[in-house]
Amino acid sequence: MRYFQLKSLGDQSKLKENVCISKRPSGLGLNSTLLNKGKSVKAFFPENAEVRLKDDEPGLMLTDVLSNTLWCFIANERTREIVQPVCGTEDVEYLPFVLYDQRGNRYSDDYGFIHPLRMCNVVDRDASTIRYQGGDPNRAIMSVTEYVFDGSLTKDLPALFRVPEYTYDIFMNETLARALYEAKISNLFLNEVQLS
């Protein structure tokens, strides 16, 4: 089985054309940070959540997967209909919102956060490229620029998951990636993760 890291910015060459979200849903408050920690936000997520595009981000082209600087998997209903049968609802939350344009006009009701909750200990830290605080491997991880998974730990991974080393990053297995690719889901960019 192959594994892939989701690139939340999508097609970086089209960030001026495509919608790119950089504001978290209104009404979520400090709980919005949970969207990057693999913690459930369902109980806090507003029933009529709104996301507004920033004035300095001109893109208005809607894609299946929306580019974003939030490190999130934000996608339309067509994408969710592919993801949910594969991933289920126990370890993944589907959090819909209404998208408003830069002028505050209602732009789309078709999008939501696809929020994986499962943490999986599969990273081969010695083989991965990891930046530690102060350069000390005994201190906190600041970022991971290249992941390598320990192949012996990947046998029962879910289709969509996170890793504790850097909870912002989202990964998917080949089954889900292939289903999305075959459906021609637009603006989906993935990096394959090597196995040790």
Side-chain angles (χ1 to χ4, degrees):
M1 179 74 74
R2 298 160 67 196
Y3 298 92
F4 301 85
Q5 178 186 0
L6 175 72
K7 305 306 288 182
S8 64
L9 276 178
D11 188 348
Q12 294 185 52
S13 70
K14 294 187 177 178
L15 288 177
K16 290 185 178 178
E17 303 163 35
N18 294 342
V19 164
C20 182
I21 291 176
S22 59
K23 294 173 87 174
R24 296 182 183 276
S26 60
L28 198 52
L30 294 176
N31 291 315
S32 66
T33 62
L34 299 178
L35 286 168
N36 300 119
K37 296 180 180 177
K39 303 287 186 185
S40 176
V41 296
K42 195 171 185 178
F44 312 109
F45 204 78
E47 187 176 334
N48 299 305
E50 299 177 0
V51 172
R52 294 181 183 272
L53 298 178
K54 288 176 69 174
D55 293 339
D56 59 350
E57 294 175 336
L60 283 171
M61 181 73 66
L62 293 172
T63 51
D64 292 319
V65 176
L66 292 184
S67 296
N68 68 92
T69 60
L70 306 177
W71 297 73
C72 291
F73 189 4
I74 304 174
N76 61 9
E77 182 70 12
R78 185 169 92 91
T79 306
R80 186 195 63 76
E81 288 174 353
I82 297 167
V83 173
Q84 190 167 337
V86 176
C87 298
T89 57
E90 185 176 334
D91 295 319
V92 179
E93 293 180 334
Y94 305 90
L95 308 163
F97 63 84
V98 177
L99 180 65
Y100 286 81
D101 68 14
Q102 294 87 340
R103 295 182 178 182
N105 299 314
R106 194 180 187 105
Y107 196 51
S108 177
D109 299 349
D110 194 34
Y111 289 90
F113 291 84
I114 298 176
H115 178 54
L117 306 177
R118 281 281 299 278
M119 287 288 169
C120 299
N121 290 303
V122 294
V123 174
D124 182 336
R125 289 194 179 194
D126 292 331
S128 298
T129 305
I130 300 176
R131 187 167 68 90
Y132 295 93
Q133 188 176 39
D136 182 352
N138 295 314
R139 297 183 71 186
I141 292 174
M142 304 301 292
S143 65
V144 182
T145 54
E146 184 177 357
Y147 285 95
V148 177
F149 288 172
D150 182 334
S152 67
L153 302 176
T154 61
K155 293 176 184 174
D156 297 314
L157 290 178
L160 199 62
F161 62 97
R162 300 175 190 268
V163 295
E165 281 76 9
Y166 200 67
T167 62
Y168 286 72
D169 288 321
I170 295 172
F171 301 89
M172 66 179 67
N173 68 12
E174 183 178 4
T175 302
L176 179 56
R178 188 176 298 280
L180 294 168
Y181 175 78
E182 289 176 354
K184 296 182 170 36
I185 294 299
S186 63
N187 202 37
L188 176 72
F189 280 71
L190 305 170
N191 278 351
E192 184 167 3
V193 178
Q194 299 303 309
L195 302 181
S196 63

